[in-house]
Amino acid sequence: MTDDKTQPPVETSTIWGGRFSTGPDKIMEAINASIDFDQRMYAQDISASMAHAKMLADKEIISAADADTILSGLETIRDEIERGDFKFSRVLEDIHMNIENRLSTLIGDAAGRLHTARSRNDQVATDFRLWVRDALDYLDGNMKDLQAALLQQAHTHSGSVMPGFTHMQTAQPVTLGHHLMAYVEMIGRDRGRAADCRARLNESPLGAAALAGTSFPIDREATASALGFCSPMANSMDAVSDRDFALEFLAFASILAVHLSRLAEEYVIWSSQQFAYVKLGDAYTTGSSIMPQKKNPDAAELIRGKAGRVIGALNALLIVLKGMPMTYGKDMQEDKEPCFEVADTLQLCLVAMAGMLTDTTFDVERMSTDAGKGFSTATDLADWLVRVLGLPFRRAHHVTGAIVKLAEDKGCGLEDLTVEDMRTVEAGITAEVFAVLGADNSVASRVSLGGTAPANVRQAVAAAHKRFLDDG
C-alpha cells in the first residue's frame, strides 16, 4: 500500500476504458450518475468486495498478497467514509467506481485485480440486496417497539370501555385495550411480511458477472456464506435482472404505511373536540400561527400523509420494471431511491407513532359515556331474546328494532326503559334483560375467542408479549 492518503482530483476521462474517445456531455454525466444516493450502500459494497477478494485469493485467481493489500485498502476507505473524509465524485458515477478509484490511488495496480470475475451488474445487485436486508432488520426493531407501546396501553386499558364503530357509526361497546390490540396484530403481520421478504431476498447474485456467469473458477457458495446469504442465486441472468426483492420490500412497506395511516387517522379523530378521547402531549403536537388555542395532531397527520409517498414508491418501481427485457438496463438505477426514501420514511413514522402512543392520555370517562350512546347494546338485547326466550334471531332482531324505536321516541337509552315498556313489544321480557343492557355488561359478556371482554384482552396482551416481544 502506498503512503499517500490524499485524494487527487478525478480525471475527466470516462471510466469505461478504451471504447470511448471523448467524455460524456455534462447533462449525460448528471443523468447517469447515481453517487448522490447510492453512496448509502458503501458499507455493503465494501463488505461484498472483501468477500470477493478473499474468494479470489482462496481460488488462486489472485495472489494472497494482492488480496491482503486490497482488504487493507478497503478497510482504509471504509474508515475514511465513516469519518466523513471521503470525497465522492459524480464523474465516477456510482459508489462502486468511487471506491475502486480510491482503492487504486491507495494501493496501485493491485486494485485492478478486484474486479476480476465480477461486473457492476452483479455487484450492485448484491449491494442492494444487502442494503434492503439491513433495512428490514432495523425496521423490524422499530415495529417491535411500536407493538410494545401498543401493548402497554392495551394492558392499562384492558377494561376501559369505549364505543366500537362500523361505518363511523356507534355499533357495539368494546374496550380500548381490545381496539389497540387490533393494531398489534396488524403490525405483527407486517413483521411477518418483512421476514418473508428477507428470506426470499437472501440469495447472492455475486459471481453472476454481467449476465452469463464467468469463465474463472470462482466459489459462489463461499462468497454467499461470507455475506450471510443462504445460497447463490441459481440463474446468472435472473441474478442481475431481478428486483422482486425491492418490489416486495415496497409492497410490505405500503401495507405497513396503510396500517400506520389508519391508526394516525384514529388519533386525528379522537383528538378532535367533537370526540375528545385522547389528550396529546406537547411533544407530538404543534400550534397555530394565528389561533393561540390550537393544539394540532400534526405528527399523526404527517404519518397519515406519508402513506401516499410510500405507496407511490411501489407504483413507481412497478412501472419502471414492467417493460424491461432481460437482463440489466440503466432503468434499474431508479430502483434505489424509492427504497432508500421509503426506509427513512417508515422508520420516522414508526418511531413517531410509538412516541405518540407513549405520550397519550386517554379520557376513559368520555369514552365510557359515549359507549352507551346510540343504542350500542341493541345486539346484546337481541342475543338475550334468542338465548333466554328462544326467539329465532330474525324475530329477535325485529323485536329489538321496535324496542330501539320505542326508546328513541322516549328520548332515552335502552337501559332506561322499564320492563313494562319493553313488554309492549315482547310480552316474555323479564327484568333479567337489564343484565345485558349496560355497556360494561356488554363488553364483559363478549368472551368468545378474540372477543373484547376485559379478561380476554388481558390474556391477549400476555400472549402477544410472548409472540412478538419475548426473545427466543
Side-chain angles (χ1 to χ4, degrees), residues 417-424 426 429-434:
L417 292 172
T418 66
V419 174
E420 288 72 23
D421 290 331
M422 287 186 272
R423 282 176 175 166
T424 63
E426 172 54 54
I429 292 176
T430 70
E432 293 177 11
V433 74
F434 292 106

Side-chain angles (χ1 to χ4, degrees), residues 211 235-242 323-329 332:
L211 77 160
N235 183 282
S236 62
M237 295 178 72
D238 182 48
V240 299
S241 66
D242 170 58
M324 290 198 64
M326 285 289 188
T327 54
Y328 182 82
M332 287 185 178

Side-chain angles (χ1 to χ4, degrees), residues 163-164 170-173 370-380 414 439 442 446:
T170 299
Q172 294 177 312
D370 282 1
K373 294 179 179 178
F375 309 108
S376 63
T377 57
T379 304
D380 297 275
L414 293 176
S442 174
R446 304 291 175 176

Side-chain angles (χ1 to χ4, degrees), residues 151 181 184-185 456-470:
L151 284 167
M181 286 299 294
V184 173
E185 294 297 325
N456 285 33
V457 175
R458 289 189 290 271
Q459 291 173 0
V461 168
H465 263 283
K466 291 181 180 179
R467 288 164 58 203
F468 299 125
L469 302 188
D470 293 347

Side-chain angles (χ1 to χ4, degrees), residues 12 19 30 53 71 80 152 180 183 240 304 347 389 393 403:
T12 57
R19 175 65 178 83
L71 294 174
E80 288 177 348
Q152 180 59 53
L180 296 175
Y183 287 100
V240 299
R304 183 179 61 183
Q347 185 172 41
L389 300 188
F393 183 80
I403 294 174

Side-chain angles (χ1 to χ4, degrees), residues 209-273:
L211 77 160
T214 178
S215 59
F216 289 95
I218 61 173
D219 185 348
R220 292 190 63 207
E221 287 79 8
T223 51
S225 177
L227 294 170
F229 289 114
C230 294
S231 64
M233 294 186 72
N235 183 282
S236 62
M237 295 178 72
D238 182 48
V240 299
S241 66
D242 170 58
R243 292 299 183 270
D244 289 359
F245 67 94
L247 290 173
E248 191 169 358
F249 172 74
L250 294 174
F252 137 76
S254 296
I255 297 171
L256 171 59
V258 167
H259 290 161
L260 294 175
S261 181
R262 293 183 70 179
L263 180 54
E265 169 71 1
E266 305 224 68
Y267 257 80
V268 172
I269 293 170
W270 290 351
S271 64
S272 68
Q273 290 181 343

